[in-house]
Amino acid sequence: MPEFSSQPNTKPDTSALKHIAFIMDGNGRWAKTKGMPREYGHTVGARVFSDITEYCGDIGIDTVTVYAFSTENWKRPKREVDAIMKLFGDYIKKAADTMMKRNIRIIFLGSKAPFSEKVQRDMEEIEEKSKNNARTLNIAINYGGRNELVHAVNEAIAAGEPVTEETIGAHLYTKNSPPPDLIVRTGGKMRLSNFLLWQAAYAELYFCDTLWPDFSSADVDRAILEFNGRKRRFGGV
Ligand code: FPP
């Protein structure tokens, strides 16, 4: 038994944290350490995704965003892409019940066009069914930050609006959410990888070496404790 536990024993203060976002990195490497195929890492990663998003709700965070699949991830081997799409398809089949029980609105960030008609229909149905729920879970899937900006600017122009920070913000996939206060990236890499480029302007960034399938509620607590110790100035002094 260690003399000093590294696990904080009280829930962190989330009063300054309205929106937390996760770059769930490290599934493939985690599987490799177990001598397993990369797909196994995504299977366990999907379970951790459910646990972590649930935990964030339990500690009072209103908006959670996860980076599940980027516009660039289609370049991965077909077998891996298929495995992630299967996990996603299975997840959305069951998600409606969970979201209604937990009072969570689900929103998919990214174009739905590449998904099968069935999956697109399921995605639209959950979004519609959960749209009046109190908290929000944004799932970025087929998402890219640059692509989102191009899409938003084109939408603003097509609507005959001037291109301003306000109109761009109003046409982003995240238009229903405040900007993220904290972006957490697991897996030891220190980059944003085309995630929430516009929205991240004043986000606090937190990087940890833990591979996503090993990420736990105690790691969330640690990230929040660090966040609470930072002084945010938003360009002021
Ligand atoms: C990054 O790890 C992870 C992904 C690209 C996919 C994340 C997907 C899931 C957690 C499952 C999605 C399912 C649902 C239900 C939303 P990596 O493969 O890049 O890891 P590596 O850096 O070790 O190679």
Side-chain angles (χ1 to χ4, degrees), residues 92-116:
I92 54 173
K93 260 187 250 156
K94 293 185 236 135
D97 281 352
T98 322
M99 295 302 130
M100 296 317 287
K101 248 183 254 152
R102 301 188 62 82
N103 202 12
I104 294 169
R105 174 179 193 180
I106 203 162
I107 298 174
F108 299 101
L109 314 180
S111 164
K112 296 181 181 70
F115 301 106
S116 71

Side-chain angles (χ1 to χ4, degrees), residues 24-30 38 42 45-46 49 67-68 73 76 80 84 87-88 91 139 212:
M24 311 182 284
D25 195 20
N27 292 346
R29 279 168 287 157
W30 181 86
R38 295 176 55 82
H42 296 311
F49 148 79
Y67 203 5
N73 286 152
R76 293 188 176 207
E80 183 172 344
I84 296 174
L87 285 168
F88 179 63
Y91 172 77
I139 300 184
W212 179 256

Side-chain angles (χ1 to χ4, degrees), residues 3 84 171 205:
E3 194 184 315
I84 296 174
H171 289 284
L205 307 180

Side-chain angles (χ1 to χ4, degrees), residues 17 25 65 86 110 127 135 202 216 218:
L17 188 47
D25 195 20
T65 300
K86 166 92 172 61
E127 284 182 325
R135 288 189 279 116
Y202 286 102
S216 68

